[in-house]
Amino acid sequence: MKTTASKITIARIALIPVFLLLAYNGQLYWAFAVFVIASLSDTLDGYIARHYNQVTNFGKFMDPLADKMLVLSAMCFFVENGQMPGWCVAIVLFREFAVSGLRLIAVEQNRVIAAGLSGKIKTTVTMIALCVMLIFPDLNSLNQICIFLIVVTTLYSGIEYFYKNRDVLKEA
């Protein structure tokens, strides 16, 4: 039986096509509402999983994947909409693939690398920035600030992640 936390994660994934349908049909305020609900559900499922001892391997895998799917879906919409350059998405994708690769190497060494504070800050800043871009699609200067914040927090958290876990690569 799936846990409550896992059901919330699955619901977050199910909200992604709803978000995209609304966004692509110009219903940006409704898309914003769905995006906020999906983003906040990440905090809720994490709290429930830890507080009620519902941490599962499924949740450990799917929760961060759901976040990436939500964020990258929004970013692809912004690229297609002309609000974000493709290189921004490429930086986010590169960081996610690199961190996932490092985690796989660590698993081979019987190590688990937990998410760091800078990664959580990156996710929060990114989700807030994407919300701002949904609400103010025509404010180019504000979009540029959001893109800057996404790129800086993504690069910083990626670099910090590799620096703090550099011994994993030495042992590989």
Side-chain angles (χ1 to χ4, degrees):
M1 174 83 179
K2 299 275 191 264
T3 64
T4 302
S6 294
K7 289 176 183 175
I8 294 170
T9 299
I10 292 167
R12 180 164 64 254
I13 293 168
L15 285 175
I16 295 169
V18 175
F19 160 74
L20 288 172
L21 183 66
L22 292 166
Y24 278 104
N25 283 304
Q27 303 293 317
L28 295 184
Y29 290 116
W30 286 109
F32 166 78
V34 170
F35 189 86
V36 168
I37 290 167
S39 297
L40 292 177
S41 74
D42 178 38
T43 303
L44 179 62
D45 68 19
Y47 171 79
I48 289 172
R50 287 184 296 279
H51 187 72
Y52 295 102
N53 197 26
Q54 295 183 5
V55 175
T56 63
N57 287 334
F58 175 84
K60 288 178 190 176
F61 174 74
M62 287 305 294
D63 181 64
L65 184 60
D67 294 341
K68 290 168 185 46
M69 291 165 53
L70 178 64
V71 165
L72 289 168
S73 294
M75 292 178 82
C76 287
F77 168 75
F78 290 129
V79 168
E80 190 170 342
N81 205 33
Q83 286 178 258
M84 180 180 283
W87 59 260
C88 182
V89 180
I91 287 171
V92 171
L93 277 171
F94 180 83
R95 184 241 184 237
E96 297 306 335
F97 282 130
V99 167
S100 294
L102 184 62
R103 280 193 167 132
L104 287 173
I105 293 169
V107 165
E108 289 178 358
Q109 299 171 9
N110 294 320
R111 293 180 53 184
V112 175
I113 301 175
L117 179 61
S118 67
K120 292 178 183 190
I121 291 170
K122 175 219 32 128
T123 300
T124 302
V125 166
T126 298
M127 288 183 171
I128 291 170
L130 296 174
C131 284
V132 169
M133 292 176 72
L134 279 168
I135 294 176
F136 303 106
D138 298 324
L139 292 179
N140 190 45
S141 59
L142 189 56
N143 284 340
Q144 295 304 313
I145 292 168
C146 290
I147 291 165
F148 174 79
L149 292 172
I150 290 169
V151 168
V152 167
T153 57
T154 296
L155 289 173
Y156 178 83
S157 68
I159 291 166
E160 180 187 66
Y161 196 85
F162 273 84
Y163 180 76
K164 285 186 173 182
N165 297 288
R166 62 193 179 277
D167 59 315
V168 170
L169 294 176
K170 288 180 183 176
E171 294 175 26

